[in-house]
């Protein structure tokens, strides 16, 4: 009789150590390399510099950390209040222009004009209060601070009144 081949039983632990562990390690390294390549391209794209693409893995990680720290510092830098001041100046210029146009419009009602200007003044006041710390005085909130909010303002009002005095009518608003 021919000798029978003995089948050897391989335990789960031995199978894991010989087959599974190296396979899992290869997959883990492949995943890390893929993530490092993605990080490398992202940092190169944001920096606008392709020099990071030629670095080894450790240098690339260091460069990525430096880049991220710079971005964090940029985010924490205080924003200058200049844009808000510029907005306020533009808002006041627009209010003045609205006042001038309403003053030059012959069919403009006084009540509508006052309502519009009061609303614009109150919005300007609300904008000032939200920009500053809240104040406890409520009297300043109820009365608009804007010079244009208390009535009409016109650049041409003196020349119009001097050129041709017209009879006033209760239905029509006149700037003089």
């Amino acid at each position: 009789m021919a000798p029978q081949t003995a089948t050897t039983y391989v335990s789960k632990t031995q199978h894991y150590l010989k087959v599974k562990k190296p396979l899992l390690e290869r997959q883990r390294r492949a995943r890390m390399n893929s993530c490092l390549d993605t990080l490398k391209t992202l940092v190169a794209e944001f920096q606008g510099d392709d020099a990071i693409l030629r670095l080894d893995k450790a240098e690339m990680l260091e460069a990525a950390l430096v880049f991220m720290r710079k971005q964090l510092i940029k985010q924490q830098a205080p924003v200058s209040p200049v844009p808000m001041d510029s907005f306020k100046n533009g808002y006041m210029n627009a209010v003045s222009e609205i006042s001038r146009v309403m003053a030059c419009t012959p069919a403009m009602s006084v009540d509508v004009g006052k309502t519009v200007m009061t609303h614009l003044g109150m919005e300007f006041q609300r904008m000032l209060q939200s920009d500053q710390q809240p104040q406890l005085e409520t009297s300043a909130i109820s009365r608009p601070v804007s010079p244009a909010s208390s009535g009409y303002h016109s650049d041409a009002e003196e020349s119009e009144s001097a050129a041709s005095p017209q009879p006033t009518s209760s239905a029509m608003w006149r700037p003089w």
Side-chain angles (χ1 to χ4, degrees):
M1 238 172 118
Q4 288 185 333
T5 57
T7 57
T8 59
Y9 176 73
V10 179
S11 71
K12 287 183 180 181
T13 306
Q14 288 174 336
H15 179 68
Y16 173 76
L17 290 174
K18 286 191 174 192
V19 178
K20 289 283 190 177
K21 188 173 180 182
L23 180 65
L24 291 174
E25 182 64 20
R26 263 185 265 129
Q27 289 173 346
R28 186 181 69 84
R29 286 177 184 263
R31 207 172 64 238
M32 285 182 2
N33 287 333
S34 171
C35 289
L36 285 171
D37 288 339
T38 304
L39 180 63
K40 190 185 294 188
T41 16
L42 283 173
V43 172
E45 183 180 317
F46 284 118
Q47 279 183 337
D49 184 16
D50 291 342
I52 195 171
L53 297 174
R54 293 181 289 278
L55 300 176
D56 69 342
K57 293 175 186 176
E59 291 172 338
M60 190 274 307
L61 282 172
E62 288 170 352
L65 286 173
V66 167
F67 173 74
M68 291 169 65
R69 284 187 182 120
K70 286 180 184 176
Q71 294 301 313
L72 186 62
I73 290 171
K74 280 183 184 178
Q75 281 183 342
Q76 292 175 348
V79 179
S80 70
V82 174
M84 189 60 182
D85 290 340
S86 176
F87 177 79
K88 288 176 192 173
N89 291 337
Y91 184 88
M92 286 309 298
N93 288 341
V95 168
S96 296
E97 183 66 18
I98 290 169
S99 175
R100 188 187 65 74
V101 168
M102 287 193 309
C104 293
T105 305
M108 180 61 63
S109 167
V110 176
D111 293 332
V112 171
K114 283 184 179 179
T115 303
V116 168
M117 295 310 292
T118 303
H119 171 73
L120 293 174
M122 291 174 81
E123 287 300 312
F124 185 74
Q125 178 66 26
R126 186 179 59 80
M127 184 175 30
L128 286 176
Q129 296 237 341
S130 68
D131 190 33
Q132 299 171 351
Q133 294 179 357
Q135 298 175 355
L136 297 176
E137 300 176 35
T138 56
S139 62
I141 296 172
S142 63
R143 201 184 85 191
V145 173
S146 168
S149 65
S150 59
Y152 290 108
H153 158 73
S154 174
D155 297 335
E157 103 183 66
E158 293 171 6
S159 62
E160 287 178 22
S161 63
S164 60
Q166 298 174 354
T168 59
S169 168
S170 63
M172 294 186 75
W173 175 81
R174 298 286 184 217
W176 55 87

